Amino acid sequence: MDIRRRAVKNQSHQRPVKQPTAGELLKPYNQPKPSDALPLPLYLTNGLFFTIFFSVMYFLLHRWREKIRNSVPLHVLTFSELAAVASLIASVVYLIGFFGIEFVQSIFRPSPDSWEIEDDSLDQIMLAEDKPTKQCGELLIPRIVATTPEVEEMTKENNKEKIKPPPVTDHSSSSSVEDEEIVKLVVDGSLPSYSLESKLGDCKRAAKIRREALQRITGKSLSGLPLEGFDYESILGQCCEMPVGYVQIPVGIAGPLLLNGAEFSVPMATTEGCLVASTNRGCKAIYVSGGATCILIKDGMTRAPVVRFSSVKRAAELKQFLEDPMNFETLSIVFNKSSRFGRLQSVKCAIAGKNLYIRFCCATGDAMGMNMVSKGVQNVLDFLHDDFPDMDVMGISGNYCSDKKPAAVNWIEGRGKSVVCEAVIKEEVVHKVLKTTVPALVELNMLKNLTGSAMAGALGGFNAHASNIVSAVYLATGQDPAQNVESSHCITMMEAVNDGKDLHISVTMPSIEVGTVGGGTQLASQSACLNLLGVKGASKDEPGSNARVLATIVAGSVLAGELSLMSAISAGQLVKSHMKYNRSTRDMSKLTSCN
């Protein structure tokens, strides 16, 4: 059988064959190089393409900057821009090919059929390798040998030795030894604990090693803190750094909450006894009375950077520029370019000396939106530097936002979702379910939630326990727990209606900060709770509607909690119910503490 590789045709036109060196038996014949693109010396060709690359890149960046400023779509190209793009691609291909990137060089590489075999000795090598050690057919003829019992016994022993199973490696043991070495490195400080995930490539293993190192360093046990059963990959770079386990918080269900004609089973993550039961009783009273109505009156997340000038006059000039309605469209275009959903709504400024605080407010879709609004603010600050080069940005957040702090600006202007929720509770429901009377509730609300809070100098705290419900729902649905501070701003109002027989109750909450995408909402448990409410992820039909529905559910749950707690206080049942449901029955004297 002729197994030689087919020779290249037209051998008479080929150059003389030189003696091949090692590794050169097979090589492309007459392979073109990227520098052969133009009939010029190599240094001139390189200089030409480098000049084309940088000049075209500058031209395109300049044109795109002008388009952004003039609100011209980037995909609309003129003839000169098309030529520039083509020149840019040609120069990039040449430069990459010149520096030896293999996928570009492969474009110039001929097919294997045109390879030149430069030495006939290759045919001899291939034939020698394929030559059988025995005559053809001899391997198929069994060799018959006379056997004896002694020979058979020796053959069996030899076969046993040949088929002896390979030694089994204990991977778990070797892994444990390796983990032990890593723990020692972390303990003595040779390996930073924060780098375990990137070094090992296994988030769960990193958490296990970090946990063991922490126990050895502190001498304290973490035996009660679970490690197994959690997806540590899901929090990497998103929710938590340097994890050593996770905390278990029980989740209860209050409801059904009848709100705007729809029923919701509200998940509440809490360790406070009576909270879920009390909220559930409020939901029942609202349900049998016909349900609650919730209205969202405003939706906008805020961020307020602080900038400084050399004089008050310059700060006032920027304030006037930003609050001028004629400039709002320009600011919106600059602000909105960083997100599909972030849309600037308003700009409000406040001066303190030569410092200017600029409060941007924008819609953020189904996200809570802090990162989204921060990116938009940064765009505007960069834009303002052209006309106000003496502006010194002191901080992207100047606390005029105001985030995670009780502030009058949030109480008055609102932040996030501003919601009002109301319900009319029938007289018989107040008697049978809430165990109290309408006049008693109205008088207690005036003395406690209104007068008492005013006496205490409360800021947004004109309620019984709104933060209880907000925190529980936030933990269950993956919201930022720290934003409970401003999200719990609430004023509870009660009055007798229908000739004093029925009770009208309402809660006004101007700054509920929630989202259904991003952050902790991506975790499995919290995602399941959002799915239970029917608001998981982003809304495909109407961007932002899921987050708005979640805000109304929070307000409706607060309404139920306020109604039930105020009824318990009015009826004198608060202490009794807490002693029954919020006290442990375990004998604590028999429990030993862990060191």
Side-chain angles (χ1 to χ4, degrees):
M1 179 183 297
D2 186 6
I3 59 171
R4 299 188 181 192
R5 189 182 298 270
R6 164 169 70 86
V8 181
K9 298 180 181 179
N10 300 326
Q11 295 290 339
S12 59
H13 299 287
Q14 296 178 4
R15 59 185 176 181
V17 179
K18 66 177 182 178
Q19 189 66 24
T21 59
E24 291 185 344
L25 278 173
L26 289 178
K27 65 180 182 180
Y29 171 66
N30 198 21
Q31 177 178 343
K33 298 181 290 295
S35 58
D36 296 335
L38 293 175
L40 296 174
L42 183 60
Y43 72 94
L44 290 179
T45 306
N46 290 345
L48 175 62
F49 279 100
F50 268 111
T51 303
I52 293 175
F53 175 79
F54 287 110
S55 60
V56 169
M57 180 62 72
Y58 175 80
F59 171 76
L60 290 175
L61 291 176
H62 179 73
R63 290 291 301 156
W64 288 339
R65 182 188 180 197
E66 292 298 323
K67 286 186 175 185
I68 291 174
R69 285 190 169 185
N70 298 327
S71 302
V72 177
L74 296 179
H75 65 273
V76 178
L77 301 177
T78 63
F79 177 78
S80 60
E81 291 170 345
L82 286 173
V85 171
S87 301
L88 179 65
I89 294 173
S91 61
V92 169
V93 171
Y94 171 84
L95 294 174
I96 294 177
F98 176 77
F99 287 105
I101 304 301
E102 291 185 3
F103 80 89
V104 176
Q105 290 184 339
S106 65
I107 299 175
F108 303 99
R109 188 171 298 157
S111 63
D113 288 339
S114 65
W115 283 356
E116 177 188 7
I117 304 175
E118 298 187 350
D119 199 332
D120 290 338
S121 61
L122 180 61
D123 292 336
Q124 303 299 326
I125 294 173
M126 296 175 65
L127 289 172
E129 289 177 348
D130 290 343
K131 184 177 180 180
T133 57
K134 295 185 180 182
Q135 293 295 328
C136 189
E138 185 178 348
L139 293 173
L140 301 177
I141 304 174
R143 183 179 179 186
I144 302 174
V145 181
T147 60
T148 62
E150 291 81 0
V151 174
E152 291 181 357
E153 188 66 28
M154 293 175 64
T155 303
K156 290 180 180 180
E157 293 296 329
N158 291 335
N159 290 338
K160 287 182 180 180
E161 292 179 2
K162 290 181 180 180
I163 63 174
K164 186 181 296 182
V168 179
T169 304
D170 189 356
H171 295 287
S172 61
S173 176
S174 62
S175 178
S176 299
V177 173
E178 184 179 353
D179 288 355
E180 178 63 25
E181 294 298 324
I182 298 175
V183 169
K184 292 179 180 178
L185 291 175
V186 175
V187 171
D188 63 23
S190 302
L191 179 63
S193 175
Y194 62 80
S195 66
L196 287 175
E197 280 79 5
S198 60
K199 297 290 185 183
L200 301 177
D202 185 339
C203 293
K204 182 179 179 181
R205 183 184 175 198
K208 181 179 180 181
I209 292 174
R210 182 182 296 111
R211 177 193 182 101
E212 179 60 30
L214 179 63
Q215 292 183 121
R216 296 186 187 183
I217 292 172
T218 62
K220 304 294 183 181
S221 173
L222 293 175
S223 58
L225 184 69
L227 177 69
E228 302 293 333
F230 189 81
D231 181 12
Y232 292 94
E233 303 285 344
S234 64
I235 65 173
L236 181 64
Q238 179 171 325
C239 296
C240 182
E241 299 77 35
M242 297 191 290
V244 294
Y246 60 96
V247 174
Q248 297 170 310
I249 302 179
V251 177
I253 297 297
L257 172 65
L258 184 58
L259 184 65
N260 291 339
E263 295 183 9
F264 299 96
S265 296
V266 183
M268 302 175 66
T270 181
T271 57
E272 180 182 350
C274 286
L275 180 60
V276 178
S278 178
T279 307
N280 187 67
R281 183 174 74 152
C283 290
K284 179 181 179 181
I286 294 172
Y287 190 96
V288 297
S289 297
T293 302
C294 197
I295 304 297
L296 187 140
I297 57 178
K298 189 178 179 181
D299 182 5
M301 180 51 63
T302 63
R303 172 63 84 197
V306 54
V307 299
R308 174 179 291 176
F309 289 90
S310 58
S311 65
V312 175
K313 179 181 178 182
R314 288 292 288 163
E317 289 175 355
L318 178 56
K319 180 179 185 296
Q320 183 179 4
F321 175 84
L322 292 172
E323 294 182 344
D324 187 350
M326 299 296 293
N327 298 325
F328 182 78
E329 184 177 356
T330 301
L331 296 175
S332 298
I333 294 172
V334 176
F335 186 98
N336 298 343
K337 69 180 182 180
S338 61
S339 172
R340 291 185 300 156
F341 304 105
R343 293 294 177 264
L344 184 64
Q345 296 176 337
S346 64
V347 181
K348 181 182 178 66
C349 299
I351 288 183
K354 57 183 181 179
N355 304 307
L356 181 66
Y357 296 83
I358 313 168
R359 194 171 193 257
F360 294 86
C361 181
C362 82
T364 57
D366 283 305
M368 183 271 289
M370 285 300 301
N371 293 332
M372 192 183 300
V373 67
S374 296
K375 290 190 293 183
V377 168
Q378 188 63 57
N379 292 339
V380 174
L381 293 177
D382 295 340
F383 171 78
L384 292 175
H385 263 295
D386 294 339
D387 295 324
F388 297 87
D390 55 335
M391 180 182 70
D392 188 9
V393 179
M394 305 305 296
I396 191 68
S397 175
N399 275 7
Y400 189 50
C401 310
S402 172
D403 186 40
K404 301 171 184 174
K405 291 166 283 292
V409 68
N410 292 337
W411 177 242
I412 298 170
E413 298 289 340
R415 187 170 194 258
K417 276 71 174 171
S418 299
V419 182
V420 180
C421 190
E422 67 173 353
V424 175
I425 310 300
K426 298 178 180 179
E427 181 183 26
E428 58 180 343
V429 176
V430 173
H431 286 298
K432 295 181 179 180
V433 178
L434 301 177
K435 312 298 182 183
T436 186
T437 63
V438 172
L441 280 174
V442 172
E443 184 178 15
L444 177 63
N445 184 72
M446 186 270 294
L447 293 174
K448 172 182 168 62
N449 290 339
L450 304 182
T451 308
S453 296
M455 293 291 293
L459 178 60
F462 298 89
N463 58 81
H465 71 148
S467 63
N468 250 340
I469 291 87
V470 172
S471 295
V473 177
Y474 272 28
L475 288 173
T477 57
Q479 310 305 311
D480 189 340
Q483 290 183 322
N484 164 68
V485 176
E486 61 267 38
S487 296
S488 297
H489 283 181
C490 172
I491 181 169
T492 301
M493 305 289 291
M494 295 184 186
E495 63 177 291
V497 294
N498 299 331
D499 298 327
K501 295 181 179 179
D502 300 332
L503 175 72
H504 180 275
I505 178 174
S506 67
V507 292
T508 303
M509 306 180 70
S511 51
I512 299 179
E513 300 166 354
V514 292
T516 58
V517 296
T521 65
Q522 308 300 314
L523 300 180
S525 301
Q526 288 80 347
S527 180
C529 291
L530 289 172
N531 187 58
L532 175 65
L533 295 172
V535 294
K536 177 182 176 181
S539 173
K540 297 180 180 179
D541 299 328
E542 184 183 354
S545 62
N546 280 354
R548 290 192 288 269
V549 170
L550 180 58
T552 62
I553 293 173
V554 172
S557 302
V558 169
L559 183 73
E562 290 286 284
L563 180 61
S564 182
L565 177 60
M566 292 295 289
S567 299
I569 296 175
S570 174
Q573 298 175 340
L574 179 64
V575 175
K576 181 180 178 181
S577 60
H578 272 263
M579 292 300 295
K580 181 178 180 180
Y581 296 107
N582 199 22
R583 303 287 292 180
S584 175
T585 58
R586 302 174 66 183
D587 187 355
M588 302 303 293
S589 63
K590 296 182 180 179
L591 299 178
T592 58
S593 61
C594 297
N595 294 327

